[in-house]
Amino acid sequence: MSEPTGMTPDESSGRGRRRKIRAIMAGGLALGLGATITLAAWNDSEYATGTFTAGTFSMEGSTNGTTYAEHPTAGTAAALVFSTGFDDISPGDVVAAPFAVRLTAATTYDATVTVASATPAPPGFVGLTYGIATVPAFADCSATPTTPTWIVAQGTALNSVTGAVPFNLTQGTPPTTPGAPVNLCFVVTAGATLVQGTTVTETWQLLAESV
C-alpha cells in the first residue's frame, strides 16, 4: 500500500499501529460477545404457615359468694349488700359488704386486679369514708373484718383510690373451670360531717389486667 501524499514514514507507521490496536480491540469485543453463556435457572421453594388464636380473659363477681356474673360497666354494677344500718347510717357507724371476684371458665391468663376508680354521686358528697380489704373467706367480711389485708386503706375519701394495692387472680385448673375467688370486704364509715337525710351512691371499678 502506498503512503498518503504529504505524510512522513513515521506518521504513516503510527497510523498503522493505531489501526492494528483498534482491530485487536474490536476482535477482543467480538470474542467476548461470542463467548457469552446463558445458564439455566434452577429453583426450589419452601413454604411455612402458622395459625394464631387469641386467648380469652374475663372477670366476674358475686355479692353472695355463690352466684357469679359479669358486671362490665358502671350501668351494670353489682349492688353490694351492706350490713344492717347502711340505710339509716349516722356519725360513728360502720357498715360492710362482701364481694367475691374470680376469673371466668376458659380464661387462659392470670390477672392483676386494681381498684381503679371510686365515684360518688353526687360528686361532692362528704361525711363517709371507705376501705377495702381482702379476707380469707366470704363470711369473714364485717365492720371489723377477720384477718384483713387492706388494699385500700380505711378512711379513704369516696372519690379517691390513692394508695390502692393490686391483688392477683389465677386462671382455673384446668382452664375450662373458673379460677379461685378472692374475697373482698368493703367497709364504709360515717364521720362527723355527715349531713342528716343525705344520700350518696358509690361506684367502684375493679380493673383486671392479664399477666
Side-chain angles (χ1 to χ4, degrees):
M1 179 183 297
S2 60
E3 295 179 359
T5 306
M7 296 183 63
T8 65
D10 288 341
E11 289 174 335
S12 176
S13 175
R15 288 193 57 166
R17 283 195 298 272
R18 285 194 295 274
R19 283 196 298 270
K20 290 178 182 178
I21 291 170
R22 284 197 295 270
I24 291 170
M25 289 175 63
L29 290 172
L31 176 60
L33 290 172
T36 299
I37 299 173
T38 302
L39 298 176
W42 292 352
N43 294 303
D44 188 21
S45 299
E46 292 288 335
Y47 292 88
T49 185
T51 300
F52 303 92
T53 302
T56 58
F57 180 78
S58 183
M59 180 174 62
E60 59 188 1
S62 174
T63 58
N64 61 14
T66 302
T67 304
Y68 286 81
E70 294 185 52
H71 310 91
T73 66
T76 60
L80 298 177
V81 181
F82 278 91
S83 53
T84 302
F86 76 95
D87 55 352
D88 190 25
I89 198 167
S90 59
D93 288 345
V94 181
V95 294
F99 189 59
V101 292
R102 69 184 185 184
L103 296 177
T104 59
T107 291
T108 53
Y109 301 91
D110 293 337
T112 296
V113 184
T114 303
V115 182
S117 67
T119 308
F125 189 89
V126 295
L128 296 178
T129 59
Y130 80 98
I132 304 174
T134 61
V135 291
F138 195 82
D140 290 333
C141 180
S142 68
T144 55
T146 302
T147 320
T149 298
W150 294 98
I151 60 173
V152 177
Q154 287 184 290
T156 299
L158 291 183
N159 63 352
S160 175
V161 292
T162 300
V165 178
F167 63 92
N168 298 321
L169 292 176
T170 56
Q171 62 180 295
T173 305
T176 53
T177 61
V182 169
N183 300 297
L184 303 175
C185 186
F186 291 73
V187 180
V188 175
T189 302
T193 58
L194 182 65
V195 177
Q196 182 178 346
T198 56
T199 299
V200 64
T201 299
E202 175 81 344
T203 302
W204 290 278
Q205 179 194 12
L206 300 176
L207 179 62
E209 296 187 357
S210 61
V211 295

